[in-house]
């Protein structure tokens, strides 16, 4: 199994365009990387449709006339399918991480690449033609959070291995150059890098996983919630306009 894992992380499709990552966008990474299509299945809407079979027609046809219990049953079934998918993805990633060495580094590199090419998901307005689908980004953030759960308890001993200095390290895998800053210029950020005497190449899996998880949640789960909130507001506004037009008849 380890030999297969080693061969997988070395394959050219593990991270497409690895040496020229800027030449590929998030949507291409999702469809062309070795793990991308495994993370993509989801019940969340996408600009290219909901896939086959159409779960909207299958589970929510005539939703306004159905009993509330039946609709809630459909929601529960879809949640169960999503949880099963996420658990399966987690097991794949977890087993690969257990091999350590170049396999573990390869897995972290895959997450790093996925987050870099999808940095645009952190913007207020996003172009889903060039970014990973909501489902893919949500699943990635859910798997990352599952990986981080064992050391997120502040009272646990592993929590101490998470260093705030990591983001100032030259070994930091996160690309935070374009992130909004409250009181620092780009030059000040560069000047704030750790001195060579304090910096190190290996910050440990726990520290790296913690920051990768935070970034994945920002681009995945949090962004999905923001999009849902905005969609709800837009729907309410359209409904208000319809009511206003009907009142003018």
């Amino acid at each position: 199994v380890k030999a297969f894992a080693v061969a997988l992380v070395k394959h050219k499709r593990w991270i497409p365009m690895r040496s020229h990552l800027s030449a590929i966008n998030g949507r291409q990474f999702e469809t062309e990387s070795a793990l991308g299509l495994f993370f993509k299945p989801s019940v969340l809407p996408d600009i290219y449709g909901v896939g086959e079979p159409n779960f909207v027609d299958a589970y929510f046809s005539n939703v306004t006339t159905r009993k509330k219990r039946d609709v809630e049953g459909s929601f529960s079934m879809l949640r169960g399918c999503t949880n099963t998918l996420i658990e399966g993805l987690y097991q794949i990633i977890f087993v690969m991480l257990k091999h350590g060495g170049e396999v573990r580094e390869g897995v972290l590199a895959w997450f790093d690449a996925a987050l870099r090419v999808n940095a645009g998901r952190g913007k207020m307005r996003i172009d889903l033609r060039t970014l990973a689908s909501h489902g893919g980004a949500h699943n990635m953030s859910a798997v990352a959070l599952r990986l981080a759960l064992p050391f997120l308890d502040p009272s646990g001993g592993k929590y101490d291995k998470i260093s705030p200095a990591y983001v100032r390290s030259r070994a930091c895998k996160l690309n935070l150059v374009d992130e909004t800053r409250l009181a620092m210029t780009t030059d000040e950020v560069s000047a704030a890098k750790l001195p060579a005497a304090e910096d190190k190449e290996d910050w440990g899996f726990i520290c790296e996983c913690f920051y990768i998880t935070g970034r994945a949640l920002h681009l995945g789960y949090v962004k999905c919630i923001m999009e849902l909130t905005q969609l709800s507001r837009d729907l309410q506004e359209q409904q208000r306009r319809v009511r206003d037009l009907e009142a003018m008849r």
Side-chain angles (χ1 to χ4, degrees), residues 59-60 66-75:
Y59 292 98
F60 299 106
R66 291 170 57 190
K67 294 181 179 179
K68 182 179 179 181
R69 180 178 59 186
D70 293 338
V71 177
E72 290 178 346
S74 296
F75 278 122

Side-chain angles (χ1 to χ4, degrees), residues 13-176:
R13 292 291 294 274
W14 178 251
I15 299 179
M17 304 293 288
R18 184 191 298 257
S19 58
H20 299 88
L21 198 59
S22 60
I24 189 172
N25 62 44
R27 182 66 66 159
Q28 292 170 324
F29 188 90
E30 184 177 63
T31 57
E32 296 179 15
S33 68
L35 291 179
L37 286 176
F38 291 97
F39 278 79
K40 190 177 186 298
S42 174
V43 297
L44 296 180
D46 187 35
I47 57 173
Y48 296 113
V50 294
E52 297 292 339
N54 189 322
F55 74 90
V56 176
D57 293 339
Y59 292 98
F60 299 106
S61 59
N62 303 317
V63 66
T64 57
T65 59
R66 291 170 57 190
K67 294 181 179 179
K68 182 179 179 181
R69 180 178 59 186
D70 293 338
V71 177
E72 290 178 346
S74 296
F75 278 122
S76 297
M77 181 176 295
L78 292 174
R79 288 193 190 100
C81 293
T82 299
N83 291 336
T84 299
L85 170 66
I86 291 173
E87 179 63 23
L89 292 171
Y90 162 74
Q91 291 295 338
I92 292 173
I93 298 298
F94 180 72
V95 169
M96 293 186 70
L97 288 170
K98 287 182 66 177
H99 290 306
E102 57 187 332
V103 177
R104 188 190 73 173
E105 289 302 314
V107 172
L108 291 176
W110 184 88
F111 274 99
D112 171 49
L115 295 175
R116 285 178 179 269
V117 296
N118 284 296
R121 287 186 58 88
K123 299 179 180 179
M124 291 185 64
R125 297 186 180 276
I126 62 177
D127 182 4
L128 283 175
R129 295 172 301 178
T130 60
L131 296 169
S133 62
H134 289 316
H138 169 270
N139 290 339
M140 181 171 63
S141 63
V143 171
L145 185 60
R146 183 79 165 78
L147 292 170
L149 279 180
F151 49 82
L152 290 183
D153 183 3
S155 63
K158 295 180 179 180
Y159 193 79
D160 295 336
K161 296 182 180 180
I162 301 171
S163 173
Y166 174 72
V167 294
R168 297 170 55 205
S169 171
R170 290 168 178 79
C172 177
K173 288 184 169 64
L174 303 180
N175 181 14
L176 304 175

